[in-house]
């Protein structure tokens, strides 16, 4: 009897697989089962070692390889011991070369063949089918792999799950790796994104196995009815243009019920080679975009093949489009839709109307003083059947001329006239009227079979026939035009309701959905929205087999901002252009939404970059603060002596202090931009800030002095006093950067309604560069810092701020 295999599956190291395996072993041993630990890797983790407890542990087999003493599972000892359950850790482990088996899973198979039950552990990244995906996610190649069929053959697989946040917390607390490996692991393999992706892989792989077990169970028990464990929507695609509408409708249903979307195309197996319809490629791509799957199957009976496929996939709903067969073909071979409905059983079947028919498509409206617009096919049929049918009817009635008379024959000939008017409009009806009058004269007036009319009463009857037939044709044509107008009004109302209702129910229309909807509603061959700058570029959105370009477009609408709507197909009437207005408005809104989304995305990227810069500055500030303090202390110790060494120490101390101030300013500027430190603007006296900034500057024989000019009696400025003082200190430090005896002057005044604080350094050799930190501080107070060359040489820095009310 073969033993049973139980696998504890995890998404990553550290989730607790070995802990769970040992806990299950202790539980079963407490129930009286003979349990032996063949091999357990605790890696020094306290919780795992405690869980090992009093379980009996089989000693490992020592192995010497390349001068190194190693240990492996003692397979022979475990086979001789023959426990009821053996606990063997790390199923994908590679054994030391030279042993009986190259892989541990081969040792486990020997134990199973001997009738010993085995519980083992495995990480998802070691499965052969997922190793390349894991390498793409984590960047780490997996050397130890195990065939999927070995694991799928297990009698029981349990997922040991742990959220990425909890796993990273365990890692940070040192419960998985040694402290010196934690930071590297958290920054590489154990990133939150990696762990989330590995967790999803484990769940999906396990879900596939559960579906296989469910399918096997249903097959063994002969269960054909679908079990609605999960909604699965099957969309039948035959390559017709309305397939795109079916796919979108199925996607909306699948989204609402959190189900799967499957598109299936049935190829008839009738021995003939047929090319796939061109629309199938576009529908397959649309399925991929909507996160659905596409399948092609073959079968002689399309309906039976479709239902069998839906049952095999445990589908709960089938979506069908309108049939493309003629009435005659349906009468001869039957309706596919009806056969699917009869065979589907408990599967729900939805038959959707075509988007090009009914109330979703606006048909061209009738034009005044013109015949009602009908298709060329109907008009040809009316010309063929109307006059010919009238003559044929007169000939068929001619044997009854004695009993029927001229009046009765003319009354009967009104029937084909009315039919021609309904089928083809006024002109075919007029032709039928003329043919009827001539046929009545030929067959029913004396002399027989002659165009001559002998009696005046017969001539009057023929004239009345012409008048009555003309009135009837006119009335029927008018009714047809009114019916078309009513149909168009209903269609326009339905289109506008759909346009508004879609926005209310499902949120804003996307640009692609609007273009596709617009093409279908107006019956165009192609529609596209493109950018127009110097030339037309790649379409932003397109629909239809024929994507229009500017030279071939039959209609173009400027959407603003360089975007243009192009239509290719039948010409639009005045009514069409009126209905096109709401679509143009929605297209403009969709374009504006896409611009706002792109701008928001760019803003998010900038915010992420700012956050990264802030974090970097914080880290640099923390790392440099202590070394700079040490430099200052060392400089102070050196300054105790006299001579050149003391002067150099003073200079070192001054530069270190300057670096500390610069770091503090950078950190404060990053906090300001991140919104952590608020800017409090209030009326501020310029003179007080200037004196406070000058008082805080270091003094010494090697730095130029600062002279304060006229800074009193000025209007107050709207500023943050602390930020203004620090910005002014940075500007003064920049103005004193060059050595020399010349003083730096500070004065202030009112220029163009704003208060300007000017700092002039006479020692420079021309215009300099504004300190970046000072510029950030001043701009945070809605001010401006400019740098220019001062008259007489040097550099002039001007801080301009708004006056307080």
């Amino acid at each position: 009897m073969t033993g049973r295999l139980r696998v504890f599956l995890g998404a990553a190291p550290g989730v607790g697989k070995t802990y769970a395996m040992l806990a299950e072993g202790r539980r079963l041993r407490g129930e009286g089962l003979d349990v032996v630990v063949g091999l357990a890797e605790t890696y020094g983790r306290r919780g795992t070692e405690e869980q090992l407890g009093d379980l009996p542990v089989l000693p490992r087999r020592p192995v010497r390889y390349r001068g190194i003493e190693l240990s492996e599972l003692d397979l022979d000892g475990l086979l001789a011991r023959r426990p009821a359950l053996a606990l063997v850790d790390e199923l994908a482990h590679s054994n030391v070369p030279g042993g009986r088996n190259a892989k541990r899973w081969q040792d486990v198979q020997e134990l199973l063949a001997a009738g010993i039950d085995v519980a083992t552990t495995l990480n998802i990244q070691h499965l052969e089918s997922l190793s390349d995906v894991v390498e793409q996610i984590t960047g780490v190649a997996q050397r130890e792999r195990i065939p999927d069929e070995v694991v799928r053959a297990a009698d029981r697989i349990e997922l040991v799950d742990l959220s990425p946040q909890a796993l990273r917390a365990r890692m940070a607390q040192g419960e998985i790796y040694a402290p010196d490996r934690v930071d590297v692991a958290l920054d590489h393999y154990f990133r939150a994104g990696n762990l989330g992706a590995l967790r999803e892989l484990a769940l999906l792989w396990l879900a596939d196995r559960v579906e296989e077990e469910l399918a096997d169970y249903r097959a063994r028990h002969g269960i054909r009815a679908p079990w609605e464990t999960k909604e699965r929507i099957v969309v039948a695609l035959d390559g017709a243009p309305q397939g795109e509408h079916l796919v979108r409708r199925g996607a909306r249903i699948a989204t609402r019920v959190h189900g799967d979307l499957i598109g299936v195309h049935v190829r008839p197996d009738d021995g003939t080679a047929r090319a796939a319809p061109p629309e199938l490629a576009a529908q397959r791509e649309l399925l991929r975009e909507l996160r659905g799957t596409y399948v092609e199957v073959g079968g002689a009976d399309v309906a039976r093949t479709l239902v069998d496929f839906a049952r095999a996939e445990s589908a709960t709903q089938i979506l069908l489009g309108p049939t493309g067969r003629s009435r005659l073909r349906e009468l001869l071979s039957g309706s596919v839709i009806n056969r699917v409905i009869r065979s589907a059983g408990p599967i729900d079947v939805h038959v959707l109307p075509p988007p090009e028919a009914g109330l979703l498509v606006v048909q061209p409206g009738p034009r005044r003083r013109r015949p009602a617009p009908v298709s060329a096919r109907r008009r040809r049929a009316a010309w063929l059947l109307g006059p010919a049918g009238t003559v044929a009817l007169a000939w068929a009635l001619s044997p009854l001329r004695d009993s029927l008379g001229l009046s009765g024959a003319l009354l009967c000939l009104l029937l084909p006239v009315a039919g021609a008017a309904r089928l083809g409009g006024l002109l075919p009806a007029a032709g039928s009227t003329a043919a009827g009058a001539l046929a009545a004269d030929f067959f029913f007036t004396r002399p027989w079979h002659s165009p001559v009319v002998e009696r005046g009463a017969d001539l009057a009857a023929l004239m009345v026939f012409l008048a009555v037939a003309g009135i009837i044709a006119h009335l029927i044509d008018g009714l047809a035009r009114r019916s078309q107008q009513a149909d168009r009004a209903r269609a326009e109302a339905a289109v506008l309701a759909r346009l508004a209702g879609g926005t209310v129910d499902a949120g804003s229309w996307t640009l692609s959905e609007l273009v596709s909807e617009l093409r279908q509603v107006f019956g165009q061959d192609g529609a596209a929205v493109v950018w127009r700058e110097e030339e037309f570029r790649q379409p932003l959105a397109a629909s239809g087999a024929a994507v229009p370009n500017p030279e071939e477009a039959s209609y173009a609408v400027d959407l603003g901002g360089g975007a243009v709507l192009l239509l290719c197909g039948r010409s639009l009437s005045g009514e069409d252009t009126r209905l096109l207005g709401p679509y143009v408005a929605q297209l403009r809104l969709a374009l504006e939404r896409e611009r706002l989304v792109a701008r928001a995305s760019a803003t998010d990227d900038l915010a992420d970059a700012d956050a990264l810069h802030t974090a970097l500055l914080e880290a640099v500030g923390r790392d440099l603060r202590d070394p700079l303090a040490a430099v200052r202390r060392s400089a102070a110790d050196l300054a105790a002596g006299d001579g050149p060494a003391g002067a150099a120490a003073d200079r070192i101390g001054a530069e270190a202090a300057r670096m500390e101030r610069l770091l503090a300013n950078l950190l404060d500027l990053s906090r300001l931009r991140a919104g952590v430190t608020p800017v409090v603007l209030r009326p501020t006296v310029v003179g007080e800030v200037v004196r406070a900034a000058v008082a805080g500057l270091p003094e010494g024989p090697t730095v130029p002095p600062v002279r304060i000019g006229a800074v009193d009696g000025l209007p107050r400025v709207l500023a943050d006093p602390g930020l203004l003082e620090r910005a002014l200190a940075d500007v003064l430090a920049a103005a004193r950067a060059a050595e020399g005896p010349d003083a730096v002057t500070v004065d202030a005044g009112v220029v163009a309604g704003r208060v300007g604080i000017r700092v002039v350094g006479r020692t420079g050799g021309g215009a300099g560069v504004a300190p970046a930190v000072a510029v950030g501080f001043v701009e945070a107070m809605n001010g401006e810092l400019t740098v220019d060359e001062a008259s007489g040489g040097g550099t002039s820095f001007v801080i301009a701020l708004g006056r307080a009310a």
Side-chain angles (χ1 to χ4, degrees):
M1 181 177 179
T2 305
R4 292 172 296 178
L5 176 63
R6 183 173 181 179
V7 178
F8 292 86
L9 181 67
V15 297
K17 302 179 301 299
T18 304
Y19 185 95
M21 179 186 71
L22 295 175
E24 181 65 10
R26 294 183 62 181
R27 184 187 69 82
L28 294 175
R29 188 168 185 268
E31 295 177 358
L33 193 70
D34 184 15
V35 180
V36 172
V37 178
L39 189 144
E41 299 287 358
T42 63
Y43 297 106
R45 298 168 188 168
R46 185 180 60 183
T48 307
E49 291 177 347
E50 291 177 354
Q51 196 63 31
L52 192 59
D54 56 351
L55 286 172
V57 180
L58 187 73
R60 300 191 184 189
R61 177 174 60 89
V63 179
R64 190 168 186 82
Y65 179 69
R66 294 183 178 179
I68 302 175
E69 194 71 26
L70 302 173
S71 61
E72 285 289 1
L73 171 69
D74 187 359
L75 178 60
D76 293 331
L78 202 54
L79 290 172
R81 172 69 170 74
R82 294 192 62 82
L85 175 65
L87 306 182
V88 180
D89 208 358
E90 296 189 353
L91 183 62
H93 173 76
S94 298
N95 293 330
V96 176
R100 183 162 58 187
N101 296 316
K103 298 289 185 178
R104 186 165 293 167
W105 61 265
Q106 295 172 330
D107 295 340
V108 168
Q109 285 188 328
E110 285 198 33
L111 294 173
L112 296 174
I116 302 173
D117 293 347
V118 177
T120 185
T121 64
L122 179 70
N123 285 330
I124 195 68
Q125 65 263 27
H126 296 301
L127 289 171
E128 183 69 41
S129 64
L130 299 178
S131 60
D132 57 339
V133 180
V134 174
E135 183 176 356
Q136 292 176 1
I137 295 172
T138 64
V140 178
Q142 302 298 322
R143 292 176 297 177
E144 295 180 337
R145 304 175 185 177
I146 182 172
D148 287 47
E149 56 269 18
V150 174
V151 186
R152 289 187 183 275
D155 298 272
R156 187 172 176 182
I157 300 178
E158 294 185 17
L159 180 65
V160 182
D161 191 25
L162 195 63
S163 68
Q165 294 77 14
L167 184 56
R168 285 174 58 86
R170 289 192 62 194
M171 177 69 70
Q173 294 168 6
E175 297 181 10
I176 300 176
Y177 289 162
D180 58 340
R181 299 176 58 192
V182 169
D183 291 338
V184 176
L186 289 175
D187 291 339
H188 292 83
Y189 193 91
F190 285 83
R191 292 197 300 267
N194 289 358
L195 296 177
L198 292 174
R199 188 187 190 197
E200 184 176 2
L201 279 178
L203 292 171
L204 291 175
W205 188 89
L206 194 60
D208 288 341
R209 186 179 185 275
V210 170
E211 287 192 7
E212 291 177 359
E213 292 180 348
L214 182 61
D216 292 341
Y217 177 85
R218 293 177 60 194
R220 288 195 305 269
H221 292 79
I223 300 173
R224 295 178 57 84
W227 285 358
E228 298 185 11
T229 55
K230 185 178 183 180
E231 291 283 345
R232 289 181 175 84
I233 316 301
V234 171
V235 179
L237 302 174
D238 59 357
Q242 62 265 21
E244 183 177 334
H245 172 62
L246 287 176
V247 171
R248 293 186 185 278
R249 181 67 176 273
R252 289 196 293 270
I253 296 175
T255 301
R256 284 196 295 266
V257 300
H258 303 286
D260 296 333
L261 176 64
I262 306 172
V264 57
H265 172 63
V266 179
R267 296 188 312 272
D269 288 345
D270 53 6
T272 59
R274 301 177 183 176
E279 290 82 359
L280 271 180
Q283 293 163 13
R284 182 174 185 174
E285 182 65 20
L286 180 61
L287 269 170
R288 187 189 62 80
E289 293 176 0
L290 297 176
R291 298 184 178 181
T293 57
Y294 176 82
V295 180
E296 286 191 8
V297 295
D301 188 338
V302 175
R304 173 57 59 184
T305 303
L306 179 61
V307 172
D308 290 344
F309 173 81
R311 286 175 176 166
E313 293 292 330
S314 296
T316 56
Q317 300 182 48
I318 299 176
L319 265 64
L320 301 174
T323 180
R325 297 183 173 187
S326 63
R327 295 289 180 87
L328 178 61
R329 187 177 178 187
E330 284 193 355
L331 289 175
L332 295 176
S333 59
S335 170
V336 174
I337 294 177
N338 292 337
R339 293 207 305 273
V340 169
I341 294 174
R342 287 194 297 267
S343 305
I347 304 176
D348 297 338
V349 179
H350 304 269
V351 182
L352 305 183
E356 292 83 6
L359 298 181
L360 292 181
V361 174
V362 178
Q363 301 295 340
R367 301 176 182 177
R368 295 180 180 178
R369 299 188 181 90
R370 293 188 180 181
V374 295
S375 66
R377 180 180 178 182
R378 288 182 57 183
R379 185 171 288 111
R380 286 194 299 267
W383 276 109
L384 178 63
L385 299 178
T390 303
V391 174
L393 181 60
W395 174 80
L397 295 174
S398 60
L400 305 176
R401 67 167 66 94
D402 293 334
S403 59
L404 192 61
L406 177 61
S407 59
L410 291 176
L411 185 61
C412 293
L413 293 179
L414 286 176
L415 291 175
V417 173
R422 183 64 184 90
L423 185 62
L426 276 176
L427 292 179
S432 299
T433 301
L438 293 175
D441 176 27
F442 189 79
F443 290 108
F444 293 94
T445 63
R446 293 179 185 275
W448 312 120
H449 306 123
S450 171
V452 178
V453 179
E454 186 177 275
R455 300 170 53 190
D458 293 344
L459 180 60
L462 291 175
M463 297 302 295
V464 171
F465 170 79
L466 290 173
V468 172
I471 292 172
I472 290 176
H474 180 72
L475 290 175
I476 292 176
D477 180 66
L479 289 175
R481 287 191 288 111
R482 298 299 182 271
S483 176
Q484 286 188 353
Q485 288 174 349
D487 290 342
R488 181 180 177 87
R490 288 195 298 270
E492 290 183 1
V495 166
L496 293 176
R498 176 180 172 80
L499 197 61
T503 302
V504 173
D505 295 339
S508 301
W509 291 81
T510 65
L511 194 62
S512 298
E513 290 174 344
L514 281 170
V515 172
S516 176
E517 181 82 6
L518 186 148
R519 181 190 67 82
Q520 294 177 358
V521 165
F522 292 97
Q524 298 292 304
D525 297 331
V529 174
V530 299
W531 284 115
R532 180 176 64 188
E533 293 178 354
E534 296 180 357
E535 60 181 8
F536 285 89
R537 297 184 176 180
Q538 185 73 16
L540 294 174
S543 176
V547 178
N549 56 50
E551 293 77 15
E552 299 175 353
S554 58
Y555 200 84
V557 181
D558 187 7
L559 300 178
V564 179
L565 169 65
L566 302 176
L567 301 179
C568 178
R570 68 175 179 86
S571 60
L572 302 182
S573 64
E575 293 85 355
D576 292 335
T577 56
R578 184 182 68 248
L579 184 60
L580 188 62
Y583 277 97
V584 171
Q586 288 288 341
L587 286 170
R588 288 171 177 163
L589 289 176
L591 283 170
E592 185 62 25
R593 281 193 299 271
E594 291 195 356
R595 294 191 188 102
L596 291 177
V597 168
R599 193 176 301 170
S601 177
T603 303
D604 292 341
D605 293 341
L606 290 176
D608 294 340
D610 286 342
L612 180 61
H613 295 162
T614 301
L616 181 60
L617 288 174
E618 292 279 0
V620 171
R622 288 193 300 268
D623 293 342
L624 292 183
R625 191 173 290 125
D626 293 340
L628 286 175
V631 170
R632 290 189 64 185
R633 289 194 298 269
S634 300
D637 295 339
L638 291 175
D642 297 330
D650 290 338
R651 183 63 181 270
I652 292 173
E655 291 299 326
R658 179 169 172 267
M659 285 292 296
E660 287 183 339
R661 287 197 304 272
L662 178 60
L663 281 175
N665 289 341
L666 286 173
L667 292 175
D668 288 341
L669 180 59
S670 66
R671 296 189 184 103
L672 280 175
R673 291 182 173 175
V676 177
T677 303
V679 179
V680 181
L681 301 180
R682 62 175 182 267
T684 304
V685 179
V686 173
E688 295 178 358
V689 175
V690 170
R691 291 187 179 90
V694 172
L697 293 176
E699 297 181 356
T702 60
V703 294
V706 179
R707 296 177 181 174
I708 301 176
V711 294
D712 296 321
L714 297 173
R716 295 189 178 189
V717 296
L718 193 62
D720 186 318
L723 286 184
L724 181 57
E725 179 183 339
R726 297 178 69 172
L728 189 56
D730 285 348
V731 171
L732 289 169
R736 302 171 72 194
E739 296 185 2
D742 293 341
V744 175
T745 61
V746 183
D747 58 8
V750 179
V751 180
R754 308 186 80 184
V755 177
I757 305 173
R758 184 176 61 177
V759 177
V760 179
R762 301 290 181 178
T763 57
V769 179
V773 177
V775 171
F777 287 160
V778 173
E779 290 180 350
M781 297 181 289
N782 301 322
E784 183 181 7
L785 175 56
T786 58
V787 183
D788 201 356
E789 185 176 350
S791 58
T795 304
S796 172
F797 302 86
V798 178
I799 299 175
L801 298 168
R803 298 170 60 174

